[in-house]
Every structure is written in structure tokens, then in C-alpha cells.
Amino acid sequence: MEIADYENRFYKAERFMRIHIESAHGSVFNYLIGMDKKLTGLTDHQKSLLRLFYQGKNDSDIQQELGIGSASTIRHHRFALKEKERQAKTFLAMMELLKEKDEYAPAFLPVHKTARMVDDRYNITKEEQEKIIKKYFPEGTNHSLVKFPPREKQRLVVLREIVKRLEVECIYTEKELNEILKSAAACVDFKQAAFVLPILYSFTNPPRSLLMPNSK
């Protein structure tokens, strides 16, 4: 069981994650609704409606704020979203039952929660992950990367492994972070490969680590 120290109080990891999200985003709802469309399946218009529903506004207020249709139009949107909820629950139930029967389905790696844009780069099976790790960390993940992968899908797998070297709930200065990156991937000039750092930071999220790339 992971325990996190926050403002002189100790929390279980799950509870601390919720506290962090509420502190950084205002609420878990705001955090979830801010996720990429490919994760939520929601259009920008649906997100706007849900935000206003969450704020407790009535249909007339929402109609005036958005400047669309009438109050009955907002009620129609409420119904459509409830229908989407019912469909999602049904689909989730079917997928859970499918796991018991579909023995040939590959095991995909979960998308990290801080991913901003989910696309085919994340279409990675555990078997593919093992092959990539074996190719680029032939001596094991505790040793240095032999070369930086040319493909983004491979880079994501490699960066996942590098992030694991960061201590839980540790705040790193830029110098400290660069030293860790150099030991993990001496073959890569991370200053030249500036595109790598945003990807690397995107994998980190408390209780994993907090990074301070601009600190001295």
C-alpha cells in the first residue's frame, strides 16, 4: 500500500491522487472533462453542456449562456447525454463479458492518464513492448539505452521505461533530471531532441514524480 505525505498529513495513494487532481484542476470532474476527445468521446459542445450541468445551472440559464435554441433544446441535449450514458454502460458490460471468451485478443498497454492526444502511437501490445525493450535495452532496463528509436511508438515504450527510474514523489531540478536521462540514455542529446521532454513529462503524474525542468 503506497502512502503519500502531503502538507504534513499521510494519505493512501488513491486518496492522494484525488487530492492532487482537485488541487491542480479544481475537481475530478474538471480533470476528466479536460481529457482528449479520444479518451472521453465527447465533442466540445457536449463538454460545454456538461460543465454547465455540473455547475448546477438550469436549462433556461444554459440556453441564454450558450445562445442556442430554447430551454427545450437543452432538455433534448440532456436526454441525448443520458442515452449516451446508457449506451456506454451496455458497451462496457459487453466488453467485460467478451474478455471471458475472446482468448485471441491481444493485451494492449494502458494509455497513461496524462496523454493529451491518443492516436495509433498508443496501439501497443505487451508482446510488442517486450520486443522493443529487448531491442533497445539488450542488457536490461537497468542499463543504458543503446540507441534512440526512429519511430514514435517505439519512443513511447522506451520513455515509459526511463520514467520508471524517477523516484515516487521526488521533485527534480533540471540538472538532476538531466543526469538521470544521461545515465538511462547516454546516446541521446536531450537538448537537441527537445521534442522528447514534453513526451517524457507527460508520463509523470503524482504519485509518480513531480518535475521542475526550469529549476537551477
Side-chain angles (χ1 to χ4, degrees):
M1 181 183 299
E2 295 185 24
I3 303 294
D5 181 6
Y6 178 71
E7 294 185 348
N8 298 319
R9 293 187 64 182
F10 291 92
Y11 299 90
K12 294 181 180 179
E14 183 177 350
R15 175 58 180 157
F16 174 74
M17 177 64 77
R18 186 181 184 93
I19 291 173
H20 165 73
I21 290 174
E22 291 176 349
S23 174
H25 303 278
S27 70
V28 176
F29 177 87
N30 288 335
Y31 171 74
L32 293 173
I33 206 166
M35 287 181 167
D36 186 83
K37 179 181 178 181
K38 288 193 175 182
L39 289 175
T40 64
L42 298 170
T43 65
D44 290 340
H45 181 60
Q46 288 173 328
K47 286 184 177 182
S48 296
L49 286 166
L50 287 172
R51 287 191 181 98
L52 294 171
F53 294 155
Y54 185 75
Q55 292 169 15
K57 296 190 176 183
N58 61 41
D59 293 351
S60 296
D61 290 339
I62 294 172
Q63 182 271 323
Q64 292 178 12
E65 184 162 338
L66 296 181
I68 56 172
S70 61
S72 62
T73 303
I74 304 302
R75 286 196 294 274
H76 173 74
H77 284 301
R78 285 185 184 274
F79 177 82
L81 287 168
K82 291 297 291 184
E83 185 65 19
K84 190 177 181 71
E85 178 190 15
R86 287 190 288 270
Q87 291 171 346
K89 289 179 178 179
T90 302
F91 179 72
L92 181 60
M94 288 191 295
M95 291 302 293
E96 287 296 320
L97 293 170
L98 184 60
K99 290 178 183 179
E100 302 174 6
K101 299 291 184 179
D102 190 4
E103 57 183 290
Y104 298 106
F108 291 96
L109 294 181
V111 176
H112 57 281
K113 294 181 179 179
T114 50
R116 287 294 180 183
M117 184 174 69
V118 181
D119 51 32
D120 194 56
R121 293 175 299 170
Y122 292 91
N123 181 12
I124 307 171
T125 65
K126 290 186 177 180
E127 183 179 359
E128 287 177 312
Q129 179 195 37
E130 291 172 1
K131 289 180 179 179
I132 292 170
I133 291 174
K134 187 175 181 180
K135 179 178 180 180
Y136 293 99
F137 292 99
E139 297 182 19
T141 53
N142 290 329
H143 293 77
S144 183
L145 186 72
V146 293
K147 68 175 182 178
F148 199 60
R151 298 179 180 177
E152 290 196 38
K153 180 183 288 190
Q154 296 170 326
R155 291 172 181 172
L156 289 174
V157 172
V158 164
L159 292 174
R160 278 180 187 266
E161 292 303 314
I162 292 176
V163 164
K164 291 178 182 178
R165 301 193 182 200
L166 303 177
E167 297 291 334
V168 174
E169 283 310 301
C170 181
I171 300 176
Y172 293 93
T173 64
E174 182 178 5
K175 181 179 179 180
E176 291 170 336
L177 180 59
N178 285 336
E179 288 176 353
I180 294 173
L181 295 178
K182 186 175 181 180
S183 67
C187 61
V188 182
D189 184 343
F190 283 94
K191 289 185 178 180
Q192 290 184 358
F195 62 90
V196 171
L197 292 180
I199 299 175
L200 183 64
Y201 298 152
S202 75
F203 280 114
T204 64
N205 191 37
R208 166 59 60 184
S209 299
L210 296 174
L211 304 182
M212 298 178 63
N214 296 319
S215 299
K216 295 182 179 180

